Amino acid sequence: MNFELSEEHLMIEKMARDFAVNELLPGVIDRDEHQIMATEYLKKMGELGLMGMMVDPKYGGSGMDTLAYVIAMTEISKIDNSCSVAMSVNNSLVCYGLEKYGNEEQKEKYLKPLASGEKIGAFCLSEPEAGSDATSQKTTAVDMGDYYLLNGTKNWITNGTQASTYLVIAQTNPELKHKGINVLIVEKGMEGFVVGPKENKLGIRSSDTNTLLFNDVKVPKENRIGADGFGFKFAMSTLNGGRIGIAAQALGIAMGAFERSVAYAKERSAFGDKISKLQAIQFKLADMATEIEAAKLLVYKAARLKNEGKDYSHASAMAKLYASKVAMEQTVEAIQIHGGYGYVKEYHVERLMRDAKITQIYEGTSEIQKVVISRGVLS
């Protein structure tokens, strides 16, 4: 499988890297500390074509392939994972779901402003009692004829405050279990829809993560995506692609920590020489480089399979499982290489470690990835 980057891919990489270093880096520590969402930068990312990268240009997107998206996600994630997760949700879950499964009216009304970055979307699956077990939806969407009456609670929703368009998974026919679930497009401002306060989190602190409350929200029937009962399949399909985005985020976190560790090892002196001359540091860096390269190959493979229209569910689960493991391990090593300096905010690696942990949890925990992988192995 050829992973040589094209001229277009290299241009995307440079553009995303320059934006991350020049625009996102200067204020990233302050945004993290005070939980300030980088709204102005998300708008700029939309102007650069980063919020609807894989969407057809006729719907306002950039028309690029999945590998270009992975490359851009990686560069943004080296610097600011609150921005990269907003980018991931908008691209991988919301825009992808609308373009693949929405009708033309839905694409014109909702996909275009999302793909262009004019608006931001949110994907609403998790509930207080339905995280990894996505079949146990308690949010209900009762069929009232020409509209659904939506009631329930969603939590851990990325872009909860910033979003204008929400894809909400809800149960319509409980007797059918997962086959009775639907996905509805909900707009901010609909009567009875309330966005709760932001969560105070360990990592990705400047990303707004909220609980959403639905109290007799009337959602027009035309806002249902797909046939009646399609919601669970919709969620599982979009999450397959979402795993590639989070795998790319984890890869970027690991690469960012590694690059900072190499630079620090070349600058820091101890025992009369640079610590890069110490075999203990050299071996740490060698292990980090090898594991990051392995993670990159898994992520790129999943992206290529998706580009080629092949089944990528197994590959995307492997990529997310391994890349998130590498991100967690390598950020811990990065702090160790930095010593006491790694434990303070100004050297960035402590933030990368805090950001890394969530990649093992959201859009399918590591344990869920193992379930998906084992099914593929045993089928």
Side-chain angles (χ1 to χ4, degrees):
M1 190 172 284
N2 180 23
F3 294 130
E4 186 174 346
L5 300 185
S6 67
E7 286 295 322
E8 183 182 41
H9 290 140
L10 292 172
M11 287 174 60
I12 293 296
E13 183 177 58
K14 184 179 186 305
M15 180 267 288
R17 180 183 298 143
D18 288 347
F19 174 77
V21 171
N22 297 327
E23 299 281 346
L24 297 179
L25 181 59
V28 68
I29 293 175
D30 185 65
R31 291 195 300 275
D32 174 78
E33 185 170 359
H34 296 100
Q35 303 185 64
I36 303 169
M37 188 63 192
T39 307
E40 62 180 293
Y41 297 108
L42 291 179
K43 192 170 186 62
K44 289 182 181 179
M45 288 167 67
E47 293 168 357
L48 291 171
L50 295 174
M51 299 303 282
M53 292 189 68
M54 298 170 286
V55 176
D56 192 308
K58 71 179 180 180
Y59 298 121
S62 300
M64 298 178 189
D65 66 10
T66 310
L67 185 55
Y69 165 61
V70 161
I71 290 166
M73 270 291 295
T74 301
E75 292 300 323
I76 299 297
S77 299
K78 289 179 184 180
I79 304 297
D80 189 336
N81 289 285
S82 293
C83 281
S84 70
V85 71
M87 173 182 167
S88 177
V89 168
N90 204 71
N91 274 279
S92 297
L93 301 181
V94 182
C95 286
Y96 172 81
L98 279 167
E99 184 172 28
K100 185 170 179 63
Y101 298 112
N103 58 40
E104 285 302 312
E105 291 76 14
Q106 291 167 346
K107 292 176 185 180
E108 286 292 325
K109 183 175 181 179
Y110 297 108
L111 179 57
K112 278 188 172 181
L114 289 166
S116 66
E118 178 188 338
K119 293 183 178 180
I120 295 176
F123 182 80
C124 310
L125 176 64
S126 294
E127 297 181 359
E129 297 180 29
S132 294
D133 181 10
T135 62
S136 299
Q137 296 291 303
K138 302 299 182 187
T139 298
T140 59
V142 178
D143 190 341
M144 303 298 288
D146 58 349
Y147 67 90
Y148 288 97
L149 197 62
L150 185 64
N151 282 280
T153 302
K154 296 290 181 179
N155 64 349
W156 317 122
I157 305 303
T158 299
N159 300 339
T161 303
Q162 300 293 320
S164 299
T165 304
Y166 302 77
L167 304 188
V168 180
I169 312 299
Q171 180 62 261
T172 298
N173 297 295
E175 67 279 5
L176 298 178
K177 300 182 180 179
H178 71 280
K179 293 182 179 180
I181 293 172
N182 281 309
V183 54
L184 306 177
I185 304 170
V186 176
E187 299 176 35
K188 180 175 282 184
M190 283 184 169
E191 187 176 352
F193 173 32
V194 177
V195 178
K198 291 195 299 184
E199 301 289 351
N200 189 4
K201 307 186 299 295
L202 171 72
I204 56 168
R205 286 174 57 79
S206 59
S207 167
D208 53 343
T209 305
N210 303 75
T211 294
L212 308 181
L213 307 172
F214 305 95
N215 183 22
D216 286 344
V217 180
K218 292 183 178 180
V219 184
K221 207 66 166 288
E222 59 263 28
N223 282 29
R224 187 187 72 203
I225 299 176
D228 188 22
F230 180 67
F232 184 74
K233 288 185 178 180
F234 174 92
M236 295 303 101
S237 174
T238 53
L239 284 172
N240 275 338
R243 287 169 185 149
I244 297 176
I246 300 305
Q249 182 185 43
L251 177 62
I253 291 171
M255 291 174 71
F258 173 71
E259 290 173 6
R260 289 186 177 279
S261 297
V262 170
Y264 182 80
K266 290 178 177 179
E267 295 170 1
R268 174 70 170 172
S269 294
F271 306 106
D273 209 341
K274 303 298 183 185
I275 65 170
S276 59
K277 299 294 181 64
L278 299 174
Q279 192 175 71
I281 300 298
Q282 292 171 351
F283 280 11
K284 285 182 184 295
L285 294 173
D287 285 340
M288 291 171 77
T290 302
E291 291 177 16
I292 287 169
E293 190 66 19
K296 181 193 288 187
L297 291 173
L298 281 171
V299 177
Y300 281 22
K301 177 184 178 181
R304 288 289 192 190
L305 289 173
K306 186 171 183 288
N307 285 343
E308 294 167 4
K310 297 177 180 177
D311 181 12
Y312 59 91
S313 57
H314 193 237
S316 66
M318 282 186 168
K320 184 182 183 297
L321 174 67
Y322 189 71
S324 62
K325 175 176 177 287
V326 168
M328 196 68 243
E329 292 176 350
Q330 304 314 333
T331 52
V332 170
E333 282 287 55
I335 291 176
Q336 194 70 21
I337 290 169
H338 282 73
Y341 291 105
Y343 210 67
V344 298
K345 293 183 181 296
E346 64 183 289
Y347 283 79
H348 297 280
V349 288
E350 65 84 28
R351 186 186 75 257
L352 291 173
M353 184 190 75
R354 290 187 286 106
D355 288 349
K357 185 58 195 173
I358 192 61
T359 66
Q360 295 182 308
I361 299 173
Y362 59 14
E363 294 192 33
T365 64
S366 293
E367 291 74 20
I368 289 296
Q369 304 316 311
K370 290 179 182 180
V371 170
V372 174
I373 294 164
S374 63
R375 285 174 179 168
V377 169
L378 295 170
S379 64

